[in-house]
């Protein structure tokens, strides 16, 4: 194939050496040194889409979205195939980070995805109906996998209430990578991909609270979660929903469980039967009335929610030690 009179050829040994060394440096977090090598590789083989794809990938790791978009556009201009190339996906992520919606639409369509609305639309792509998925918050730190709703191929709205260690809140929108890094299965059958967060895209104004509940039954606990949902916010029983997993398990195929059924995975470091972020309830164990619960609600509403919950059944419900944590 000829491009601008040049015959496409296999990359030189120098190109391969520079590129291999660059990705080793990327793995060590030495982005500046890797960038110098990948720039040299692009100078050696400017006709290769891979040269610019690799640079776009590096800029994505650095969250340098202007450079990622520029390198990504050079990569897709040199592609042999029309649709399905990962180069377009990286362009879509960069365009989404920059809110360059016309380019984001073009990227997803070029990748082969159906984007509702006019092809030349200037607004953000909505209505893609990508469903639910999980996202790993702070993947390089104290990683936490939470549930969310995919707004488009690169953004997810967080629907769980993250633990305060993540620095994230319910309702926030995070930019995430395109390749799943793990999977969560459910007892109903469907499985859901786990994507790694890249960065916070839109913050949430709703604070996170932790409270200790006395809930005589699971139905009492469920009533608080329902009451919060009806108010347009959220409550989550962290005593049941949180499990501690090693990295290998977190990045593999794992049952979502969410406190129901028996957790038999050998790398679950939770403490069955104990309330709090380290606990969950395994099959056959008695219900523990004391629950540690996360609540996402405005300051002026949270106490009213809890008081209303207790008022509906004062003999079986109490709350104490409410604290804003994020």
């Amino acid at each position: 194939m000829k491009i601008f009179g040049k015959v496409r050829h296999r990359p030189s040994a120098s190109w391969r050496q520079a590129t291999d060394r660059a990705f080793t440096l990327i793995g060590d977090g030495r982005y500046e040194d890797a960038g110098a090598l990948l720039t040299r590789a692009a100078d050696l083989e400017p006709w290769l889409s891979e040269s610019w794809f690799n640079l776009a990938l590096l800029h994505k790791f650095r969250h340098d979205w202007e450079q990622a978009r520029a390198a990504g556009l050079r990569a897709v201009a040199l592609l042999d195939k029309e649709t399905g190339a990962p180069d377009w996906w990286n362009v879509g992520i960069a365009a989404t980070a920059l809110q360059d919606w016309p380019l984001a639409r073009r990227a997803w369509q070029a990748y082969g995805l159906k984007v509702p609305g006019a092809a030349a639309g200037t607004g953000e792509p909505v209505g893609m109906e990508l469903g639910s998925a999980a996202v790993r918050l702070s993947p390089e730190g104290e990683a936490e996998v939470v549930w969310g709703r995919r707004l488009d191929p690169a953004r997810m709205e967080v629907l769980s209430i993250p633990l305060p260690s993540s620095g994230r809140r319910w309702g926030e929108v995070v930019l995430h990578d395109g390749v799943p890094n793990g999977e969560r299965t459910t007892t109903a059958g469907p499985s859901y991909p786990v994507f790694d967060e890249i960065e916070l895209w839109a913050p949430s104004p709703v604070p996170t609270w932790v409270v200790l509940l006395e809930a005589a039954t699971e139905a009492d606990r469920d009533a608080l979660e329902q009451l919060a949902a009806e108010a347009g916010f959220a409550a989550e029983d962290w005593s049941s929903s949180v499990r501690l997993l090693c990295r290998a398990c977190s990045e593999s195929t794992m049952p979502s469980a969410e406190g129901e059924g028996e957790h038999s995975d050998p790398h679950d470091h939770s403490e069955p039967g104990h309330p709090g972020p380290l606990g969950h309830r395994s099959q056959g164990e008695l219900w523990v009335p004391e629950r540690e619960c996360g609540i996402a609600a405005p300051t002026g509403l949270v106490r009213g929610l809890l008081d209303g919950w207790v008022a509906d059944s004062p003999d079986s419900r109490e709350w104490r030690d409410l604290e804003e944590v994020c």
Side-chain angles (χ1 to χ4, degrees):
M1 177 180 180
K2 292 185 178 181
I3 301 177
F4 303 118
K6 300 282 186 178
V7 177
R8 181 178 287 267
H9 56 276
R10 296 187 61 173
S12 65
S14 296
W15 184 94
R16 292 195 299 271
Q17 290 170 0
T19 300
D20 290 345
R21 176 59 179 158
F23 277 95
T24 298
L25 293 173
I26 288 172
D28 294 335
R30 295 172 58 185
Y31 293 149
E32 292 295 332
D33 294 335
L37 286 171
L38 289 178
T39 299
R40 178 169 175 263
D43 289 339
L44 289 169
E45 303 286 356
W47 316 108
L48 282 177
S49 63
E50 291 89 344
S51 294
W52 304 104
F53 173 83
N54 292 337
L55 270 172
L57 200 61
L58 171 68
H59 294 313
K60 182 184 74 171
F61 294 151
R62 298 175 63 187
H63 303 182
D64 186 343
W65 300 116
E66 294 282 359
Q67 293 292 335
R69 176 173 59 182
L73 287 172
R74 294 196 68 167
V76 297
L78 297 169
L79 288 175
D80 292 335
K81 57 181 180 179
E82 294 182 0
T83 61
D87 308 66
W88 278 113
W89 199 283
N90 279 339
V91 170
I93 292 175
T96 301
L98 295 168
Q99 300 187 45
D100 182 349
W101 300 124
L103 180 58
R105 286 173 168 272
R106 178 185 165 202
W108 305 135
Q109 289 167 340
Y111 188 79
L113 300 176
K114 184 178 180 181
V115 182
T122 58
E124 61 184 278
V126 295
M128 295 187 72
E129 298 183 355
L130 298 175
S132 299
V135 61
R136 182 175 292 104
L137 305 175
S138 304
E140 301 303 323
E142 293 189 28
E144 178 183 358
V145 175
V146 298
W147 290 99
R149 177 175 66 94
R150 299 186 70 188
L151 304 179
D152 57 38
R155 292 181 301 157
M156 194 180 307
E157 179 186 11
V158 175
L159 298 182
S160 299
I161 303 178
L163 295 174
S165 58
S166 72
R168 295 284 177 261
R169 289 175 165 182
W170 171 86
E172 290 187 326
V173 177
V174 297
L175 190 73
H176 65 77
D177 220 336
V179 179
N181 188 16
E183 186 179 50
R184 295 296 180 267
T185 60
T186 64
T187 55
S191 60
Y192 299 89
V194 179
F195 297 99
D196 283 343
E197 175 194 26
I198 298 176
E199 66 181 19
L200 178 64
W201 191 87
S204 169
V206 181
T208 303
W209 306 80
V210 63
V211 65
L212 286 179
L213 306 179
E214 286 291 335
T217 67
E218 290 182 77
D220 288 307
R221 183 273 315 275
D222 295 345
L224 177 60
E225 294 182 350
Q226 182 65 30
L227 195 65
E230 290 172 354
F233 299 100
E236 182 177 328
D237 180 6
W238 283 342
S239 298
S240 291
S241 66
V242 176
R243 288 187 292 160
L244 297 183
L245 301 176
C246 69
R247 187 182 187 95
C249 284
S250 178
E251 296 179 355
S252 65
T253 298
M254 294 291 295
S256 64
E258 299 186 56
E260 298 180 1
E262 184 175 0
H263 301 301
S264 58
D265 53 276
H267 294 231
D268 184 343
H269 304 296
S270 306
E271 299 176 14
H274 291 270
L278 303 184
H280 65 269
R281 186 171 63 86
S282 297
Q283 186 176 19
E285 293 191 2
L286 295 176
W287 173 257
V288 179
E290 185 177 87
R291 320 298 296 174
E292 187 170 66
C293 182
I295 299 179
T299 302
L301 179 66
V302 62
R303 286 176 175 79
L305 276 175
L306 289 165
D307 289 341
W309 172 71
V310 171
D312 287 340
S313 183
D315 293 335
S316 62
R317 303 173 187 175
E318 291 182 20
W319 67 269
R320 69 180 189 277
D321 299 338
L322 179 68
E323 180 184 359
E324 184 177 346
V325 291
C326 184

